[in-house]
Amino acid sequence: RFALCLAAVVLASGLEPGVHGTVIDRERSYFGIHRVTKYDDLHRLVHGSTVHGQQNLSQPELPLTYYSTGGPIGDVFRAYHGDARLKRVGVVGLGAGSLAAYVERGQDWTFFEIDPTVQRIADDARLFTYLKEARSRGIIRIELGDARLQLKKSTQRFGLLVVDAFGSDAIPLHLLTREALAIDLEHLEPNGLLAFHISNNYVDLEPVLANLAADADPPRVAFIRRHGVLTDKEREQGIMPSDWLVIARSEEDVQPLLNAPGWQAARRRPDWRVWTDDYSNLFQVFRWRSAAGRE
């Protein structure tokens, strides 16, 4: 009887779709287990407890989760629509390929992705079609490997460089240092923009990046928008709250973005040491309240 009960529990758990939906694809890599789930018309990429993008197959052209047109990164692409800076875009972190929804005809985009499994998933049109559709409009390149190392040896310069690597439980600290920012800035056009996706349940990276911007030579400006309050319609569509921080050479370079509501100067902590390859302090940025709420 015990064996039968145990078998019933295992069977039932296998049939239970779970909070993210029914698993339709699962693959393990060096970096963990990646799952693609399906809930109604939504396909979602999940790594551990973190969502790395989703797509509504009924409206495949819409960027969802943290990349919606009404969110902070949507502001960036809307504010600089038609601007020469968007002719060449770099993105650190591929996920489901959601940002490729913003690719316009004639643009040249390079994604830097450390996990080959993520590339395979994003390139599988049975799961997500963002990359497939983007290739019909512009040039899409995917560079596999650690983004900092790939950038360091690259000769490319971007008008916009998006760094989207801080959403998971374990953040890559080597992308948040004085030395890392110097590499990023070396690969920007003189009036280019750096956009950091810093949504995270456990750490607040706003003061870290604001300090790094002020520490740069010459100093840079940093602005942030937190898209935390969503309408019921947005949530039903598959949009999630997101925090984005932009670093630029001057306020003049970021002025088109500041015309959108919600953007404000990023909060610095001058009393903190600037993070370097030899120093970082996660305890300073840990969201103790959020962690306690998840216990």
Side-chain angles (χ1 to χ4, degrees), residues 37-56:
T37 64
K38 185 178 188 300
Y39 184 83
D40 291 336
D41 287 332
L42 288 175
H43 279 194
R44 176 179 290 183
L45 175 59
V46 184
H47 179 214
S49 61
T50 305
V51 176
H52 287 284
Q54 67 180 4
Q55 186 174 30
N56 188 328

Side-chain angles (χ1 to χ4, degrees), residues 157-171:
R157 285 185 176 269
F158 304 102
L160 171 66
L161 179 58
V162 179
V163 185
D164 181 16
F166 308 117
S168 62
D169 299 346
I171 61 173

Side-chain angles (χ1 to χ4, degrees), residues 183-221:
I183 293 172
D184 292 341
L185 295 175
E186 286 176 4
H187 290 83
L188 275 187
E189 298 291 347
N191 63 343
L193 304 175
L194 272 172
F196 291 84
H197 179 208
I198 59 171
S199 308
N200 193 289
N201 288 321
Y202 301 102
V203 292
D204 178 11
L205 298 177
E206 177 185 357
V208 174
L209 288 166
N211 282 358
L212 286 171
D215 173 73
D217 183 19
R220 306 291 172 126
V221 298

Side-chain angles (χ1 to χ4, degrees), residues 9 29 37 40 49 132 203 269-270 277:
V9 170
S29 75
T37 64
D40 291 336
S49 61
K132 176 185 175 182
V203 292
R269 286 297 303 263
D277 285 351

Side-chain angles (χ1 to χ4, degrees), residues 116-132:
T117 300
V118 171
Q119 178 187 5
R120 186 199 66 77
I121 292 172
D123 258 330
D124 189 339
R126 298 170 299 175
L127 304 176
F128 301 100
T129 64
Y130 287 123
L131 291 181
K132 176 185 175 182

